[in-house]
Amino acid sequence: MDLHEFQVAAQETDQAPGSDDKAIIVPLLGLAGEAGTLLTEYKKLLRDGPAYVSFRDQISEELGDVLWYVANLATKFDLDLRDIAAANLAKTVGRWGDPGQVPPTQPLLFDEGREPKEQFPREMVVEIMEGPEDHGIKTAVLMVDGTQIGNQLNDNAVIDDGFRFHDVMHLTHIALLGWSPTIRGFLGRKRKSDPLTDHAEDGARAVIVDEAIVEMVFDYARRHNFFVGVDRIDYELLRTIRRRTSGLEVGVRSAAEWEHAILESYRVWRAIRANNGGRFRLDLVERKVELLA
C-alpha cells in the first residue's frame, strides 16, 4: 500500500469527519497522545529489557496510529501525504547532504557563459590588513589580487569584535556558493548586458540581502564563540537564510551548502582576526578557500 492509498483508506474510519474545530482538534490531540505512548513503550523496554518480548509489536502498532493521525490531518488540511513525504525527503537531503555536491540542475557559477568582465575571477588572492586608525578606531582594508576594493571598514560598534573583517564572509560565499552581489559590485563585475539580472540579482536589493545575512550570522556566531569547535548550525538560522534568498539565484543553494560556507568563512575569519589581517586564496571552480602564509 502506498501513502496515497493509506490516506484515502484512513478517512473511512474517521470518527470526527469534517473541517470544524472539533474535527481538527481530535486528530491533533490524538497525535500528541500517540507520541506520548511511544515514549511510554520505550520506557518499558528500558525497564524490562529482553523480558519485554512484545516491544516490536507494540511500537509497530503505535507508529501505525501516528501514521493514521498524520494522514487524517493531511486530508483535513487538503494536503497529499505523498507530497508531504517527498518534500520532507528533499528538505532532509538539503540539510544533511554533502555540501560539496551540487546537483547538476543547480549552476555552480551563476555567471557562467557571461563575458569575462561580467564574471567573478575564477581564482582570487585576497588580503585584508589593518588600515589607518580613524580617531583611535581600528579599520581594515580589503585587497583583491593586489587592488584595493571598497572603503576601509571599522567595527561600527563600541567593542572590538572584528566585524571590520566581515568581507571574509562575502568572499568565502563567492567561492562556495557562487554569490555575493556586494563584492560583485566592488569588483565592477555586474552583469549589465542583461538588465533584468543587473537589477534583480546584482542591484541594491540583493546587496541589502547579502549584507543582512552576513550581519545576522555574525550576531549568531558571536553568541556561539564564533563557531570554535562547532560543526553544525541551528536549522532555524539556515531556514531563515534560505527563505530570505528564495527569490534570488542563490536560492537554489541547500541548507547544507550554506552551513558549510558559513563554517568555512568563520574558520578563515578567526585566523584573520587573530592576526589583525591575513591572506587567503579563493578557487571558484574547485570551491575551496585556502589560508596563505
Side-chain angles (χ1 to χ4, degrees), residues 2 68 84 88 105 131 136 153 156 173 197 206 232 237 255:
D2 69 18
W68 187 95
I84 293 172
N88 180 262
T105 54
L153 300 176
N156 292 123
H173 292 173
T197 299
R232 290 296 179 189
L237 175 65

PDB file of all heavy atoms in Angstrom, residues 2 68 84 88 105 131 136 153 156 173 197 206 232 237 255:
ATOM      1  N   ASP A   2       0.600   2.181  -0.935  1.00  0.00           N
ATOM      2  CA  ASP A   2       1.388   3.411  -0.935  1.00  0.00           C
ATOM      3  C   ASP A   2       0.738   4.452  -0.028  1.00  0.00           C
ATOM      4  O   ASP A   2      -0.354   4.233   0.521  1.00  0.00           O
ATOM      5  CB  ASP A   2       1.596   3.931  -2.358  1.00  0.00           C
ATOM      6  CG  ASP A   2       0.319   4.449  -3.008  1.00  0.00           C
ATOM      7  OD1 ASP A   2      -0.673   4.739  -2.294  1.00  0.00           O
ATOM      8  OD2 ASP A   2       0.296   4.582  -4.249  1.00  0.00           O
ATOM      9  N   TRP A  68      -1.798   7.104  11.070  1.00  0.00           N
ATOM     10  CA  TRP A  68      -3.225   7.347  10.796  1.00  0.00           C
ATOM     11  C   TRP A  68      -3.577   8.808  11.083  1.00  0.00           C
ATOM     12  O   TRP A  68      -4.246   9.465  10.282  1.00  0.00           O
ATOM     13  CB  TRP A  68      -4.094   6.422  11.655  1.00  0.00           C
ATOM     14  CG  TRP A  68      -5.555   6.510  11.291  1.00  0.00           C
ATOM     15  CD1 TRP A  68      -6.231   5.702  10.445  1.00  0.00           C
ATOM     16  CD2 TRP A  68      -6.503   7.483  11.770  1.00  0.00           C
ATOM     17  NE1 TRP A  68      -7.547   6.102  10.333  1.00  0.00           N
ATOM     18  CE2 TRP A  68      -7.742   7.199  11.139  1.00  0.00           C
ATOM     19  CE3 TRP A  68      -6.439   8.550  12.648  1.00  0.00           C
ATOM     20  CZ2 TRP A  68      -8.891   7.956  11.373  1.00  0.00           C
ATOM     21  CZ3 TRP A  68      -7.576   9.313  12.875  1.00  0.00           C
ATOM     22  CH2 TRP A  68      -8.791   9.020  12.255  1.00  0.00           C
ATOM     23  N   ILE A  84       3.856  15.488   0.945  1.00  0.00           N
ATOM     24  CA  ILE A  84       4.485  15.783   2.232  1.00  0.00           C
ATOM     25  C   ILE A  84       5.758  14.958   2.401  1.00  0.00           C
ATOM     26  O   ILE A  84       6.815  15.468   2.806  1.00  0.00           O
ATOM     27  CB  ILE A  84       3.504  15.491   3.386  1.00  0.00           C
ATOM     28  CG1 ILE A  84       2.330  16.472   3.347  1.00  0.00           C
ATOM     29  CG2 ILE A  84       4.216  15.555   4.736  1.00  0.00           C
ATOM     30  CD1 ILE A  84       1.223  16.134   4.326  1.00  0.00           C
ATOM     31  N   ASN A  88       9.608  16.371   2.488  1.00  0.00           N
ATOM     32  CA  ASN A  88      10.415  16.138   3.676  1.00  0.00           C
ATOM     33  C   ASN A  88      11.748  15.507   3.322  1.00  0.00           C
ATOM     34  O   ASN A  88      12.801  15.874   3.875  1.00  0.00           O
ATOM     35  CB  ASN A  88       9.663  15.242   4.664  1.00  0.00           C
ATOM     36  CG  ASN A  88      10.458  14.979   5.922  1.00  0.00           C
ATOM     37  OD1 ASN A  88      11.096  13.945   6.052  1.00  0.00           O
ATOM     38  ND2 ASN A  88      10.447  15.919   6.844  1.00  0.00           N
ATOM     39  N   THR A 105      21.420  20.057 -11.780  1.00  0.00           N
ATOM     40  CA  THR A 105      20.427  21.048 -12.188  1.00  0.00           C
ATOM     41  C   THR A 105      20.686  22.420 -11.581  1.00  0.00           C
ATOM     42  O   THR A 105      20.055  23.394 -11.959  1.00  0.00           O
ATOM     43  CB  THR A 105      19.017  20.593 -11.778  1.00  0.00           C
ATOM     44  OG1 THR A 105      19.010  20.298 -10.381  1.00  0.00           O
ATOM     45  CG2 THR A 105      18.609  19.343 -12.547  1.00  0.00           C
ATOM     46  N   GLY A 131      43.968  48.954   8.526  1.00  0.00           N
ATOM     47  CA  GLY A 131      44.111  50.257   7.912  1.00  0.00           C
ATOM     48  C   GLY A 131      44.503  51.300   8.943  1.00  0.00           C
ATOM     49  O   GLY A 131      44.668  50.991  10.132  1.00  0.00           O
ATOM     50  N   GLY A 136      41.332  56.879  16.613  1.00  0.00           N
ATOM     51  CA  GLY A 136      41.521  55.819  17.593  1.00  0.00           C
ATOM     52  C   GLY A 136      40.729  54.560  17.312  1.00  0.00           C
ATOM     53  O   GLY A 136      40.813  53.591  18.078  1.00  0.00           O
ATOM     54  N   LEU A 153      37.007  49.780   6.494  1.00  0.00           N
ATOM     55  CA  LEU A 153      35.881  49.500   7.380  1.00  0.00           C
ATOM     56  C   LEU A 153      36.317  49.509   8.831  1.00  0.00           C
ATOM     57  O   LEU A 153      37.458  49.189   9.155  1.00  0.00           O
ATOM     58  CB  LEU A 153      35.285  48.119   7.054  1.00  0.00           C
ATOM     59  CG  LEU A 153      34.741  47.898   5.639  1.00  0.00           C
ATOM     60  CD1 LEU A 153      34.285  46.460   5.486  1.00  0.00           C
ATOM     61  CD2 LEU A 153      33.590  48.858   5.348  1.00  0.00           C
ATOM     62  N   ASN A 156      32.068  49.501  13.623  1.00  0.00           N
ATOM     63  CA  ASN A 156      30.778  50.163  13.864  1.00  0.00           C
ATOM     64  C   ASN A 156      30.137  49.668  15.154  1.00  0.00           C
ATOM     65  O   ASN A 156      28.937  49.382  15.215  1.00  0.00           O
ATOM     66  CB  ASN A 156      29.821  49.957  12.695  1.00  0.00           C
ATOM     67  CG  ASN A 156      30.279  50.674  11.433  1.00  0.00           C
ATOM     68  OD1 ASN A 156      30.468  50.062  10.385  1.00  0.00           O
ATOM     69  ND2 ASN A 156      30.471  51.985  11.522  1.00  0.00           N
ATOM     70  N   HIS A 173      31.679  33.186   0.532  1.00  0.00           N
ATOM     71  CA  HIS A 173      30.405  32.836  -0.104  1.00  0.00           C
ATOM     72  C   HIS A 173      30.544  32.784  -1.623  1.00  0.00           C
ATOM     73  O   HIS A 173      29.872  31.987  -2.286  1.00  0.00           O
ATOM     74  CB  HIS A 173      29.330  33.848   0.288  1.00  0.00           C
ATOM     75  CG  HIS A 173      28.943  33.780   1.732  1.00  0.00           C
ATOM     76  ND1 HIS A 173      28.089  34.688   2.328  1.00  0.00           N
ATOM     77  CD2 HIS A 173      29.289  32.904   2.702  1.00  0.00           C
ATOM     78  CE1 HIS A 173      27.940  34.372   3.601  1.00  0.00           C
ATOM     79  NE2 HIS A 173      28.654  33.298   3.853  1.00  0.00           N
ATOM     80  N   THR A 197      18.872  40.819 -14.891  1.00  0.00           N
ATOM     81  CA  THR A 197      19.836  40.265 -13.941  1.00  0.00           C
ATOM     82  C   THR A 197      20.576  41.371 -13.211  1.00  0.00           C
ATOM     83  O   THR A 197      20.808  41.292 -11.998  1.00  0.00           O
ATOM     84  CB  THR A 197      20.850  39.362 -14.670  1.00  0.00           C
ATOM     85  OG1 THR A 197      20.145  38.281 -15.295  1.00  0.00           O
ATOM     86  CG2 THR A 197      21.882  38.802 -13.713  1.00  0.00           C
ATOM     87  N   ALA A 206      19.476  43.119  -3.725  1.00  0.00           N
ATOM     88  CA  ALA A 206      20.264  41.909  -3.498  1.00  0.00           C
ATOM     89  C   ALA A 206      21.443  42.195  -2.572  1.00  0.00           C
ATOM     90  O   ALA A 206      21.791  41.367  -1.724  1.00  0.00           O
ATOM     91  CB  ALA A 206      20.751  41.340  -4.829  1.00  0.00           C
ATOM     92  N   ARG A 232      28.022  22.157  13.426  1.00  0.00           N
ATOM     93  CA  ARG A 232      26.636  22.225  12.995  1.00  0.00           C
ATOM     94  C   ARG A 232      26.040  23.568  13.418  1.00  0.00           C
ATOM     95  O   ARG A 232      26.387  24.109  14.466  1.00  0.00           O
ATOM     96  CB  ARG A 232      25.788  21.104  13.595  1.00  0.00           C
ATOM     97  CG  ARG A 232      26.104  19.717  13.039  1.00  0.00           C
ATOM     98  CD  ARG A 232      25.792  19.616  11.567  1.00  0.00           C
ATOM     99  NE  ARG A 232      26.115  18.306  11.027  1.00  0.00           N
ATOM    100  CZ  ARG A 232      26.100  18.034   9.727  1.00  0.00           C
ATOM    101  NH1 ARG A 232      25.797  18.976   8.855  1.00  0.00           N
ATOM    102  NH2 ARG A 232      26.406  16.824   9.302  1.00  0.00           N
ATOM    103  N   LEU A 237      18.267  29.009  11.771  1.00  0.00           N
ATOM    104  CA  LEU A 237      19.041  30.070  11.122  1.00  0.00           C
ATOM    105  C   LEU A 237      19.199  29.780   9.632  1.00  0.00           C
ATOM    106  O   LEU A 237      19.016  30.667   8.792  1.00  0.00           O
ATOM    107  CB  LEU A 237      20.421  30.188  11.775  1.00  0.00           C
ATOM    108  CG  LEU A 237      21.382  31.187  11.120  1.00  0.00           C
ATOM    109  CD1 LEU A 237      20.851  32.608  11.252  1.00  0.00           C
ATOM    110  CD2 LEU A 237      22.777  31.077  11.723  1.00  0.00           C
ATOM    111  N   ALA A 255      20.518  24.032   2.499  1.00  0.00           N
ATOM    112  CA  ALA A 255      20.908  24.375   3.865  1.00  0.00           C
ATOM    113  C   ALA A 255      22.291  23.831   4.182  1.00  0.00           C
ATOM    114  O   ALA A 255      23.091  24.477   4.866  1.00  0.00           O
ATOM    115  CB  ALA A 255      19.875  23.828   4.856  1.00  0.00           C
TER     116      ALA A 255
END
